mmCIF file of all heavy atoms in Angstrom:
data_model
loop_
_atom_site.group_PDB
_atom_site.id
_atom_site.type_symbol
_atom_site.label_atom_id
_atom_site.label_comp_id
_atom_site.label_asym_id
_atom_site.label_seq_id
_atom_site.Cartn_x
_atom_site.Cartn_y
_atom_site.Cartn_z
ATOM 1 N N GLN A 210 -45.845 134.445 163.038
ATOM 2 C CA GLN A 210 -44.694 133.694 163.551
ATOM 3 C C GLN A 210 -44.863 133.577 165.061
ATOM 4 O O GLN A 210 -44.133 134.178 165.838
ATOM 5 C CB GLN A 210 -43.386 134.403 163.189
ATOM 6 C CG GLN A 210 -42.115 133.636 163.562
ATOM 7 C CD GLN A 210 -41.925 132.370 162.770
ATOM 8 O OE1 GLN A 210 -41.986 132.368 161.544
ATOM 9 N NE2 GLN A 210 -41.697 131.247 163.461
ATOM 10 N N LYS A 211 -45.851 132.779 165.472
ATOM 11 C CA LYS A 211 -46.163 132.680 166.904
ATOM 12 C C LYS A 211 -45.257 131.686 167.623
ATOM 13 O O LYS A 211 -45.003 131.814 168.818
ATOM 14 C CB LYS A 211 -47.628 132.294 167.076
ATOM 15 C CG LYS A 211 -48.586 133.401 166.641
ATOM 16 C CD LYS A 211 -50.036 133.014 166.852
ATOM 17 C CE LYS A 211 -50.946 134.175 166.446
ATOM 18 N NZ LYS A 211 -52.368 133.810 166.533
ATOM 19 N N GLU A 212 -44.771 130.702 166.893
ATOM 20 C CA GLU A 212 -43.962 129.653 167.513
ATOM 21 C C GLU A 212 -42.477 129.973 167.399
ATOM 22 O O GLU A 212 -42.045 130.654 166.468
ATOM 23 C CB GLU A 212 -44.259 128.301 166.837
ATOM 24 C CG GLU A 212 -45.696 127.860 166.927
ATOM 25 C CD GLU A 212 -46.170 127.708 168.361
ATOM 26 O OE1 GLU A 212 -45.369 127.255 169.211
ATOM 27 O OE2 GLU A 212 -47.340 128.047 168.633
ATOM 28 N N PRO A 213 -41.673 129.460 168.325
ATOM 29 C CA PRO A 213 -40.217 129.640 168.217
ATOM 30 C C PRO A 213 -39.665 128.821 167.059
ATOM 31 O O PRO A 213 -40.376 128.028 166.431
ATOM 32 C CB PRO A 213 -39.698 129.134 169.569
ATOM 33 C CG PRO A 213 -40.741 128.181 170.049
ATOM 34 C CD PRO A 213 -42.048 128.708 169.532
ATOM 35 N N VAL A 214 -38.382 129.003 166.785
ATOM 36 C CA VAL A 214 -37.716 128.275 165.700
ATOM 37 C C VAL A 214 -36.538 127.510 166.290
ATOM 38 O O VAL A 214 -36.137 127.735 167.442
ATOM 39 C CB VAL A 214 -37.221 129.244 164.603
ATOM 40 C CG1 VAL A 214 -38.383 130.026 164.025
ATOM 41 C CG2 VAL A 214 -36.153 130.205 165.131
ATOM 42 N N TRP A 215 -35.979 126.632 165.497
ATOM 43 C CA TRP A 215 -34.784 125.891 165.929
ATOM 44 C C TRP A 215 -33.632 126.299 165.018
ATOM 45 O O TRP A 215 -33.775 126.402 163.798
ATOM 46 C CB TRP A 215 -35.018 124.385 165.806
ATOM 47 C CG TRP A 215 -33.807 123.555 166.163
ATOM 48 C CD1 TRP A 215 -33.433 123.139 167.406
ATOM 49 C CD2 TRP A 215 -32.810 123.064 165.258
ATOM 50 N NE1 TRP A 215 -32.266 122.416 167.337
ATOM 51 C CE2 TRP A 215 -31.855 122.358 166.036
ATOM 52 C CE3 TRP A 215 -32.615 123.163 163.888
ATOM 53 C CZ2 TRP A 215 -30.745 121.743 165.460
ATOM 54 C CZ3 TRP A 215 -31.509 122.557 163.311
ATOM 55 C CH2 TRP A 215 -30.585 121.843 164.097
ATOM 56 N N GLY A 216 -32.480 126.552 165.634
ATOM 57 C CA GLY A 216 -31.324 126.889 164.815
ATOM 58 C C GLY A 216 -30.106 127.231 165.641
ATOM 59 O O GLY A 216 -30.122 127.163 166.873
ATOM 60 N N GLY A 217 -29.054 127.611 164.955
ATOM 61 C CA GLY A 217 -27.817 127.974 165.630
ATOM 62 C C GLY A 217 -26.610 127.510 164.830
ATOM 63 O O GLY A 217 -26.737 126.963 163.728
ATOM 64 N N MET A 218 -25.445 127.707 165.416
ATOM 65 C CA MET A 218 -24.203 127.396 164.710
ATOM 66 C C MET A 218 -23.634 126.041 165.120
ATOM 67 O O MET A 218 -23.652 125.671 166.290
ATOM 68 C CB MET A 218 -23.160 128.489 164.978
ATOM 69 C CG MET A 218 -21.876 128.316 164.168
ATOM 70 S SD MET A 218 -20.672 129.630 164.493
ATOM 71 C CE MET A 218 -21.476 131.005 163.662
ATOM 72 N N VAL A 219 -23.112 125.336 164.112
ATOM 73 C CA VAL A 219 -22.333 124.115 164.356
ATOM 74 C C VAL A 219 -20.997 124.306 163.642
ATOM 75 O O VAL A 219 -20.916 124.984 162.615
ATOM 76 C CB VAL A 219 -23.055 122.849 163.846
ATOM 77 C CG1 VAL A 219 -24.212 122.480 164.752
ATOM 78 C CG2 VAL A 219 -23.562 123.025 162.414
ATOM 79 N N VAL A 220 -19.952 123.734 164.203
ATOM 80 C CA VAL A 220 -18.592 123.935 163.669
ATOM 81 C C VAL A 220 -17.986 122.596 163.285
ATOM 82 O O VAL A 220 -18.078 121.613 164.044
ATOM 83 C CB VAL A 220 -17.691 124.643 164.708
ATOM 84 C CG1 VAL A 220 -16.298 124.889 164.126
ATOM 85 C CG2 VAL A 220 -18.321 125.962 165.158
ATOM 86 N N PHE A 221 -17.362 122.557 162.101
ATOM 87 C CA PHE A 221 -16.753 121.333 161.592
ATOM 88 C C PHE A 221 -15.313 121.602 161.164
ATOM 89 O O PHE A 221 -14.966 122.725 160.778
ATOM 90 C CB PHE A 221 -17.522 120.816 160.367
ATOM 91 C CG PHE A 221 -18.947 120.449 160.632
ATOM 92 C CD1 PHE A 221 -19.963 121.370 160.403
ATOM 93 C CD2 PHE A 221 -19.280 119.197 161.105
ATOM 94 C CE1 PHE A 221 -21.284 121.041 160.642
ATOM 95 C CE2 PHE A 221 -20.605 118.850 161.344
ATOM 96 C CZ PHE A 221 -21.610 119.771 161.110
ATOM 97 N N PRO A 222 -14.479 120.557 161.168
ATOM 98 C CA PRO A 222 -13.132 120.705 160.603
ATOM 99 C C PRO A 222 -13.214 120.686 159.072
ATOM 100 O O PRO A 222 -14.212 120.244 158.489
ATOM 101 C CB PRO A 222 -12.396 119.472 161.127
ATOM 102 C CG PRO A 222 -13.476 118.440 161.295
ATOM 103 C CD PRO A 222 -14.706 119.200 161.715
ATOM 104 N N LYS A 223 -12.140 121.116 158.422
ATOM 105 C CA LYS A 223 -12.117 121.144 156.960
ATOM 106 C C LYS A 223 -12.333 119.752 156.356
ATOM 107 O O LYS A 223 -12.882 119.632 155.245
ATOM 108 C CB LYS A 223 -10.776 121.711 156.473
ATOM 109 C CG LYS A 223 -10.685 121.793 154.961
ATOM 110 C CD LYS A 223 -9.276 122.030 154.463
ATOM 111 C CE LYS A 223 -9.212 121.909 152.946
ATOM 112 N NZ LYS A 223 -7.855 122.038 152.420
ATOM 113 N N THR A 224 -11.956 118.721 157.070
ATOM 114 C CA THR A 224 -12.082 117.362 156.539
ATOM 115 C C THR A 224 -13.533 116.983 156.238
ATOM 116 O O THR A 224 -13.782 116.033 155.494
ATOM 117 C CB THR A 224 -11.490 116.340 157.530
ATOM 118 O OG1 THR A 224 -12.085 116.556 158.817
ATOM 119 C CG2 THR A 224 -9.981 116.478 157.626
ATOM 120 N N GLN A 225 -14.491 117.729 156.799
ATOM 121 C CA GLN A 225 -15.905 117.411 156.562
ATOM 122 C C GLN A 225 -16.562 118.409 155.601
ATOM 123 O O GLN A 225 -17.786 118.451 155.480
ATOM 124 C CB GLN A 225 -16.646 117.359 157.904
ATOM 125 C CG GLN A 225 -16.184 116.151 158.728
ATOM 126 C CD GLN A 225 -16.731 116.140 160.145
ATOM 127 O OE1 GLN A 225 -16.894 117.182 160.757
ATOM 128 N NE2 GLN A 225 -16.996 114.956 160.663
#
Side-chain angles (χ1 to χ4, degrees):
Q210 186 67 51
K211 292 181 178 176
E212 300 300 323
V214 301
W215 177 86
M218 186 179 288
V219 286
V220 182
F221 298 95
K223 181 194 172 184
T224 53
Q225 291 172 325

